[in-house]
Amino acid sequence: MNLFYNKEAVGDVAFLQIETINGEFNYETKGDVVEIKHENKVVGYNIFNASKKADIVGNGHIKLTEALVEALQKAIKNDGFTFELNADFSPKFVVGYVETKEKHPDADKLSVLRIDVGNEQLQIVCGAPNIEAGQKVVVAKVGAVMPSGMVIKDAELRGVPSSGMVCSMKELNLPNAPEEKGIMVLTDDYTVGQAFFEE
């Protein structure tokens, strides 16, 4: 679930994206709230006069907090919709351990990785030339928003499912990031599953 808000550029509207979907959408408006559906499934809300309903600070992608989600839920319910918001507040950038690395069956420069992120194992397809089994790396999990604004989603790369992204220093917008391609390899001081950023 992602929240976008830019009062100066687009007005006092909160854009709440529950799922990223392409295709035809249906809209239903009640009061200040527009419910957006795709194939009869709720995928988002536009909430007008948002600053009167929730304390939203900043522009662009807004970090969700429990208080903010509660306020948005109240706005949705007050205008007559029944959908329950389900926000995941777990860290999205975490330390992962590359357990296995296999060659992608259909792409020479891609590897298929099995990565332990503490509470689960993820399959991630990665094109970095320096990725190896046994490394600790930074993993952007599904739902993470990169500094570029890109939202990490479940994907298929050349036919192989991939859930997340192994990050380079440049992709994380870290200072002194090297120009050459390659993921950021962490030292053993890091604990698998710990948050990489204070989120």
Side-chain angles (χ1 to χ4, degrees), residues 116-158:
D116 178 7
V117 291
N119 58 345
E120 60 183 327
Q121 288 194 336
L122 302 176
Q123 177 172 289
I124 297 178
V125 177
C126 178
N130 65 328
I131 189 83
E132 296 295 342
Q135 291 171 333
K136 286 184 178 176
V137 295
V138 181
V139 175
K141 295 171 71 175
V142 170
V145 180
M146 301 300 292
S148 66
M150 179 178 75
V151 179
I152 302 299
K153 299 178 282 197
D154 281 313
E156 272 197 16
L157 295 170
R158 300 290 290 270

Side-chain angles (χ1 to χ4, degrees), residues 93-99 115-121 134-137 139 186-196:
F93 293 91
V94 297
V95 176
Y97 177 78
V98 183
E99 295 197 326
I115 300 183
D116 178 7
V117 291
N119 58 345
E120 60 183 327
Q121 288 194 336
Q135 291 171 333
K136 286 184 178 176
V137 295
V139 175
L186 301 174
T187 62
D188 280 340
D189 304 343
Y190 287 89
T191 304
V192 171
Q194 80 175 76
F196 182 69

Side-chain angles (χ1 to χ4, degrees), residues 17-18 36 41 47 66 73 94 102 113 120 122 157 181:
Q17 181 185 59
I18 295 163
I36 305 162
K41 184 178 181 184
I47 301 170
E66 290 189 41
Q73 179 73 74
V94 297
E102 293 175 9
L113 312 171
E120 60 183 327
L122 302 176
L157 295 170
K181 284 188 173 176

